[in-house]
Amino acid sequence: SLPLTLLAEAAPDEFLAAVDRGLAGDQPILLELFREKGDALFSSPAHTQLLFALETLAWSDAYLSRVVIALAKLARIDPGGRWANRPLASLRSIFLLWLPQTRASLEKRLRALDSLRERIPEVAWKVMDALLPKETDHQGPTARPRWRDWAPEGDVRVTRMEYGRAIHDLIARMFDDVGVDGARWSDLIEALPELPRDDCDALVAKLATFANEEIQARDLACVWNALRTLISRYRPRPNSERGLLSELIDQLVQTMARLEPTEPLGRFGWLFGNHPELPEGRGEDWRAYELEVASRQREAVQQLYGRRGLAWLSEFVQKVELPDRLGAAIARSDFADEVADDLLNEYLRLDQPRLHSFVSGFIHGKVYVAGLDWAKERLRSLGLNWSSTKRAAFCVCLPFKSATWEIVEGLDSATAREYWTTVRAFYIEETEVEVASRRLLEHSRPHVAVDLLQHHVRSPNVPATLVCDVLEAVLHCPRNDADQQRLSGHDVSDLLEVVSNSPDVDEARVAMLEWAYLPALGRHQYTPKLLLRELARKPEFFVEV
């Protein structure tokens, strides 16, 4: 069969009409092209050929508008996937201001964009956002016609004057469409440092009037947080080569002050994210920064509890980026002891990851402040009424060390069993690796033990016989084991190196391990040392292999 690109090039009108028919209805037939099938490494989804065909037609200014609408309809139904070839990416490449993948003039491209804004505004905004200037950018070639003379011999040349005008016209259209949508304003604010000065000034001035608009709390928080992030990144270096000028920073600071959210999540939720951007910026001293963030997190939960008790907490747990940071902040608060029992009874759930993350942060924080005696007291006072599953869930949140294991062993056998079958091995002292690994082996979790050993494989506290026991146990695990993980050749090499060089491990055991793990070694450094010797001197082993 002919490639779609050749069919599209041979009969553009018929091809585009067929695409229109394929996009009709509530369940368009072309949606099936996005289904990813087969081996992801050696096959490609069928929709890529359709995109190539439309990109080919886009080189002609006569078909540009129809192609743009077709791609926008495809973008609207695109379910996403592993492949980078997406309808939105094709649209971006066609309209790209500094390297457009079409022969159409800027005026015709803008008319096609205006048509898209009118017919499919949500996709049009995504396209315009993708076209905003960036500090670094790249674009590869799209499909080009083979027989038609629609495309030039080389790249479409764009002058500096045309590029500057294109940015200005793009920003003017985005100003018209942004309204009071917080997410759209965030897009514009993020791009502000890369805009030409005139457009930058216009955006800052428009933002200054934004505070007087009647907007929803969610949109207000979105704008305020975008401003906070921008100011934090550029405030320490307002006069650097790529930084914002001091007067613009000052204006943005004033605007941000007027827009500060009043609802709790918008005002404080950002503090419980990964490296939150403080409004005054981040200096060189990381320790001072972390202490300041921790202080503000504590102040935030203190304010919220003082005004609303715990009425705000469930929303925060579900929506902040890192619930464990929220739990840790409450653990450091003045009211931690007042609410500890309620939090443990309500949020201690292993089956709900966000709740478990929150309560784990709280327990870790309390143990850090009050020690393991606090945990023992909770188990004595509350744990008696808990199920063994809940007691195990509590213990899983404690530091992974021998003092915790002693607490676990002092509880009932069901709790101890559930603890060792669910706990994750991390941050452990070298002297405790062997005990933890043996416990994990006893509870049929050799893969977790392997993960633990990989971090301490060269330690003198890790006997080679233990490594050998763990590697052998992995081989006997069922394939549907919940802890099953794929060992890398590098990890296997390190572990086999330990056992093969140890006089404490029988050579026959090492040879069997080298044989069993041979497929995992691939091109890695380790070469079997005892396997060939065993094959040569033991006929029965040779036959077995």
Side-chain angles (χ1 to χ4, degrees):
S1 60
L2 287 174
L4 281 183
T5 51
L6 292 185
L7 292 174
E9 195 176 344
D13 290 300
E14 290 79 0
F15 182 84
L16 288 171
V19 171
D20 287 339
R21 290 193 298 272
L23 288 168
D26 294 333
Q27 291 293 321
I29 189 65
L30 289 182
L31 180 61
E32 292 300 314
L33 294 181
F34 289 96
R35 312 292 186 197
E36 295 183 0
K37 303 173 183 177
D39 190 334
L41 291 176
F42 303 105
S43 64
S44 60
H47 79 267
T48 57
Q49 292 299 317
L50 176 58
L51 297 183
F52 294 158
L54 291 170
E55 289 170 0
T56 299
L57 296 182
W59 284 99
S60 168
D61 54 6
Y63 297 108
L64 178 63
S65 292
R66 292 178 66 185
V67 168
V68 165
I69 296 301
L71 284 170
K73 289 179 178 179
L74 287 169
R76 191 163 55 183
I77 66 171
D78 181 7
R82 291 186 293 266
W83 287 79
N85 303 86
R86 318 307 311 178
L88 192 62
S90 296
L91 283 167
R92 175 189 178 273
S93 64
I94 290 168
F95 284 108
L96 194 62
L97 304 183
W98 53 272
L99 189 65
Q101 304 290 292
T102 177
R103 206 170 194 171
S105 64
L106 176 60
E107 288 75 14
K108 290 183 179 179
R109 299 200 306 270
L110 290 174
R111 283 201 296 271
L113 184 59
D114 289 338
S115 176
L116 180 59
R117 290 167 59 214
E118 181 179 349
R119 296 183 60 179
I120 312 177
E122 70 278 12
V123 175
W125 181 269
K126 292 179 181 179
V127 173
M128 292 190 291
D129 177 48
L131 298 176
L132 287 169
K134 299 172 180 61
E135 185 173 348
T136 58
D137 205 355
H138 69 279
Q139 173 61 45
T142 62
R144 298 169 71 95
R146 288 181 58 185
W147 305 105
R148 305 272 191 169
D149 60 356
W150 295 331
E153 290 295 327
D155 293 333
V156 176
R157 300 184 65 85
V158 177
T159 64
R160 286 183 176 271
M161 183 177 295
E162 181 182 353
Y163 179 63
R165 180 193 158 197
I167 294 175
H168 180 74
D169 290 342
L170 175 69
I171 294 297
R173 284 163 170 78
M174 296 183 80
F175 281 174
D176 289 340
D177 296 349
V178 67
V180 290
D181 186 303
R184 291 187 174 188
W185 271 107
S186 295
D187 294 336
L188 286 170
I189 292 168
E190 184 179 351
L192 196 148
E194 304 302 325
L195 298 181
R197 183 55 193 268
D198 289 347
D199 295 309
C200 191
D201 289 339
L203 177 54
V204 173
K206 193 171 179 67
L207 272 169
T209 66
F210 190 79
N212 300 321
E213 302 274 3
E214 290 188 6
I215 59 176
Q216 295 183 5
R218 180 183 58 187
D219 293 313
L220 182 66
C222 205
V223 175
W224 184 82
N225 280 295
L227 284 170
R228 173 185 53 77
T229 301
L230 181 73
I231 291 168
S232 176
R233 291 175 181 173
Y234 286 89
R235 205 176 201 176
R237 51 191 179 98
N239 294 312
S240 63
E241 183 179 349
R242 299 194 63 81
L244 297 175
L245 298 178
S246 297
E247 60 269 23
L248 291 184
I249 286 285
D250 292 340
Q251 292 179 52
L252 292 175
V253 168
Q254 294 172 15
T255 301
M256 187 180 74
R258 291 197 301 271
L259 292 174
E260 186 172 15
T262 56
E263 57 90 19
L265 188 63
R267 188 173 184 180
F268 298 117
W270 62 275
L271 278 167
F272 305 100
N274 190 26
H275 301 305
E277 306 277 5
L278 300 177
E280 60 273 19
R282 182 189 301 173
E284 298 292 330
D285 190 340
W286 274 89
R287 179 58 180 162
Y289 160 77
E290 290 173 353
L291 290 173
E292 181 63 23
V293 169
S295 175
R296 295 196 187 189
Q297 290 171 341
R298 182 179 181 277
E299 291 174 6
V301 297
Q302 290 276 157
Q303 282 191 44
L304 291 167
Y305 184 73
R307 295 176 184 176
R308 303 182 58 196
L310 292 179
W312 51 275
L313 184 57
S314 60
E315 182 184 22
F316 269 63
V317 170
Q318 294 298 335
K319 293 185 179 179
V320 297
E321 182 183 359
L322 300 175
D324 60 312
R325 305 285 174 85
L326 176 63
I330 294 177
R332 298 190 303 271
S333 70
D334 294 339
F335 61 90
D337 291 333
E338 299 175 32
V339 301
D341 291 356
D342 291 338
L343 294 184
L344 294 175
N345 283 325
E346 183 174 354
Y347 290 96
L348 192 54
R349 298 279 300 275
L350 274 175
D351 59 336
Q352 296 190 35
R354 292 190 70 84
L355 301 190
H356 178 63
S357 175
F358 163 73
V359 82
S360 180
F362 176 76
I363 293 171
H364 270 280
K366 283 302 298 180
V367 169
Y368 181 80
V369 172
L372 280 174
D373 287 340
W374 175 86
K376 294 177 183 178
E377 178 57 34
R378 297 278 73 71
L379 286 168
R380 279 195 295 266
S381 59
L382 293 177
L384 294 176
N385 299 318
W386 290 345
S387 65
S388 59
T389 300
K390 194 157 188 171
R391 283 192 293 271
F394 179 87
C395 294
V396 162
C397 298
L398 300 177
F400 189 64
K401 60 182 183 179
S402 57
T404 296
W405 308 333
E406 290 176 7
I407 294 174
V408 172
E409 295 304 321
L411 301 172
D412 59 289
S413 59
T415 298
R417 183 173 58 254
E418 293 205 41
Y419 171 84
W420 285 108
T421 54
T422 55
V423 71
R424 304 303 301 180
F426 59 97
Y427 302 125
I428 187 172
E429 295 291 333
E430 285 187 358
T431 55
E432 299 182 329
V433 171
E434 182 174 7
V435 174
S437 299
R438 293 293 181 194
R439 290 282 201 285
L440 291 166
L441 283 181
E442 290 170 10
H443 291 84
S444 304
R445 301 186 71 199
H447 285 88
V448 181
V450 166
D451 190 47
L452 189 62
L453 291 175
Q454 286 167 2
H455 296 91
H456 303 277
V457 68
R458 303 296 179 189
S459 170
N461 294 298
V462 177
T465 52
L466 170 63
V467 177
C468 197
D469 291 343
V470 169
L471 287 174
E472 288 174 342
V474 168
L475 296 175
H476 295 94
C477 270
R479 291 188 176 273
N480 61 350
D481 188 340
D483 288 325
Q484 187 77 261
Q485 62 183 21
R486 183 174 180 177
L487 296 178
S488 71
H490 176 76
D491 296 332
V492 173
S493 294
D494 284 346
L495 296 174
L496 286 177
E497 193 75 43
V498 169
V499 297
S500 65
N501 291 325
S502 173
D504 299 328
V505 181
D506 183 72
E507 291 185 357
R509 290 183 74 189
V510 178
M512 286 298 296
L513 286 174
E514 289 178 342
W515 167 243
Y517 284 100
L518 193 62
L521 298 176
R523 297 184 300 275
H524 293 274
Q525 294 179 348
Y526 183 86
T527 300
K529 300 176 181 180
L530 302 176
L531 176 60
L532 295 180
R533 187 188 307 172
E534 286 294 298
L535 288 171
R537 70 185 186 183
K538 290 187 178 180
E540 66 276 13
F541 181 61
F542 179 89
V543 171
E544 182 179 349
V545 168

